[in-house]
Amino acid sequence: MSKIKFITVLSFFLMIFNIKAQQFPVYSQYMFNEYMINSAVAGTVDHTPIRISYRNQWTGFTDLKGNNIAPKTFAVSGHTPIGAHHGFGAFLYRDVTGPISHTAAQYSYSWRTCLSKPSCFWEKKKFVSLSYGTRFIQYAYDDTQTTSYNEYFGLASDPVLPNTIETDFLMSHVVSSYFYSEYAYVGLSAQNLFSRPLNISSHTGFDNKLTPEYNFVAGAYLPFTQDKSFAIEPSVLSKSTSWSDTQIDYNLRFIYLNNIWAGFSYRNAEKAYALFFGFEFADMFIGYSYDTSVQGISNYSGGTHEIAIGTNLGTFSN
C-alpha cells in the first residue's frame, strides 16, 4: 500500500511540472490544506500531509480574440513535525492568468508549545504555533501574445504595457501564528512582506509591486453524536490587502465517520458560492469543489473547478 501511495502522489507531482501555464491564488478547499494560507500550521498534526491541487478558474473566460486567459493554479505542499516543538513546511505553485504568470516556492519553520498544564486532559489542551517563512517568486509578463482593448480597436497603445516578454525573480517573507485545540483553531498570517517592486518596465513610471496580504482563519469541529460519527465544521477565512476590499469566505462542512464530507462556501467579495465534497481511504485523500461564476462574468464563464489529492505519511507518537 505504501508503494502505491507513493507512486500515485509522485505521478500527480510530475504532471504539475509538465503542464505549461492573480497575484495571489485562490483555494476553495483551503480547509484541507491550511498550510497554504498559514505557515504556522506546519507540524501541528501527528503525520506528514502531502497535498497536490489543480484549480481551473472561470472556465470559458477568453480575451477579445477568443484566447483562453482564465486563471489556472497548480500547487504541491507538505509539512511535518520535527520533535516536540518544531515543524517544517514547504510548497510550490505555478499560477497563470493570461499573459501574467508566476511560480513561487516557500519554505518555513515553526515553533509550537502547549499552553495548558501537564495534568490537563488531551481534549482540553491548547497550543500555539509561531512561524517564519521565505518565499521565492519568479514573475513573468508576456505582452507579445496579448491584444489590448486599444490595439483591438486600432487606438493608441497603452503606455503602461511594455509589449515585450519580461521576467523577474524576487523574495518576500511570511510571518504567521496559529492557536489550536482538539476542537477549534484561529490563525493570523501576513504574506509577501518586504518585497521590492518588480523589474517589469512601465513607460510612465508606475511601480509594479506585489502587495502584502493579511489572512485570518478560524473554525471549530462540532460533533453531533456521542461517538463523533457525525459532525459539522463551520469556518471563516478573510483576506485583506491595502488596495482591495476584504474578501471573506464563509464555510460549512458536514463530516461522517471522519472520512466522508460535503459542504458549501460563500465568498462575499465575488458573490460566488462553492460546493465541495471528498473522502479519505486508508491514508489517501481526494476532494473536489465547484465555484459558481463571479458576479459580472456569469455570461462568459462556466464556473471554477478545483481538485485536490494527497496522502498522510508516517505517524509520530509524540
Side-chain angles (χ1 to χ4, degrees):
M1 184 62 190
S2 297
K3 183 178 291 187
I4 294 174
K5 288 193 301 182
F6 177 77
I7 292 173
T8 302
V9 173
L10 180 62
S11 298
F12 276 84
F13 180 81
L14 293 174
M15 284 171 60
I16 290 175
F17 292 96
N18 285 300
I19 299 176
K20 307 297 182 184
Q22 71 199 42
Q23 177 180 292
F24 299 99
V26 175
Y27 303 99
S28 292
Q29 301 181 77
Y30 75 87
M31 66 286 295
F32 309 126
N33 189 7
E34 291 176 339
Y35 176 73
M36 294 296 293
I37 59 172
N38 189 312
S39 60
V41 171
T44 59
V45 292
D46 63 354
H47 52 268
T48 301
I50 307 296
R51 299 288 184 263
I52 299 171
S53 66
Y54 164 65
R55 181 176 177 85
N56 187 6
Q57 188 165 322
W58 306 341
T59 56
F61 200 75
T62 62
D63 63 12
L64 292 169
K65 287 190 173 182
N67 299 315
N68 186 355
I69 58 172
K72 295 177 175 60
T73 305
F74 309 89
V76 58
S77 69
H79 63 87
T80 185
I82 303 174
H85 297 286
H86 309 281
F88 176 81
F91 67 64
L92 176 68
Y93 72 75
R94 178 166 175 79
D95 188 73
V96 181
T97 306
I100 300 172
S101 65
H102 72 276
T103 302
Q106 177 180 299
Y107 71 90
S108 66
Y109 161 80
S110 61
W111 174 86
R112 66 186 182 280
T113 188
C114 180
L115 302 177
S116 305
K117 296 179 180 179
S119 59
C120 183
F121 290 109
W122 165 256
E123 290 81 2
K124 298 184 180 297
K125 284 185 180 292
K126 299 175 177 61
F127 302 83
V128 66
S129 176
L130 304 175
S131 175
Y132 164 78
T134 299
R135 186 175 299 182
F136 303 92
I137 304 170
Q138 183 183 41
Y139 200 93
Y141 180 80
D142 184 358
D143 191 41
T144 64
Q145 301 299 317
T146 66
T147 302
S148 68
Y149 181 90
N150 286 11
E151 291 172 327
Y152 186 80
F153 289 101
L155 304 176
S157 298
D158 190 330
V160 176
L161 303 177
N163 199 32
T164 59
I165 301 174
E166 300 196 47
T167 61
D168 192 18
F169 180 85
L170 67 157
M171 294 172 52
S172 66
H173 304 274
V174 178
V175 292
S176 304
S177 62
Y178 191 70
F179 171 85
Y180 63 103
S181 66
E182 181 75 357
Y183 296 105
Y185 58 89
V186 176
L188 292 169
S189 179
Q191 305 188 52
N192 272 15
L193 301 176
F194 313 119
S195 63
R196 61 165 174 77
L198 292 166
N199 287 328
I200 303 294
S201 69
S202 174
H203 298 301
T204 55
F206 288 98
D207 277 341
N208 296 297
K209 189 174 183 180
L210 296 178
T211 303
E213 179 179 287
Y214 305 95
N215 297 337
F216 170 81
V217 64
Y221 177 81
L222 306 174
F224 262 101
T225 58
Q226 188 172 5
D227 62 359
K228 302 180 184 178
S229 61
F230 183 75
I232 62 171
E233 182 186 358
S235 63
V236 62
L237 167 66
S238 71
K239 296 185 287 185
S240 304
T241 70
S242 61
W243 56 268
S244 64
D245 294 335
T246 297
Q247 174 180 293
I248 303 177
D249 290 16
Y250 303 95
N251 315 281
L252 183 63
R253 181 166 68 123
F254 300 89
I255 308 165
Y256 179 65
L257 295 177
N258 272 335
N259 57 16
I260 302 174
W261 61 85
F264 61 90
S265 301
Y266 173 69
R267 187 170 298 124
N268 75 320
E270 299 176 353
K271 294 181 172 56
Y273 293 89
L275 302 175
F276 54 84
F277 64 88
F279 59 91
E280 293 185 29
F281 54 98
D283 290 328
M284 297 295 294
F285 156 92
I286 185 167
Y288 168 80
S289 68
Y290 171 78
D291 297 22
T292 61
S293 296
V294 175
Q295 187 181 49
I297 64 170
S298 57
N299 293 333
Y300 312 97
S301 170
T304 296
H305 302 274
E306 181 179 298
I307 187 168
I309 68 165
T311 185
N312 299 324
L313 303 177
T315 300
F316 303 90
S317 61
N318 291 330

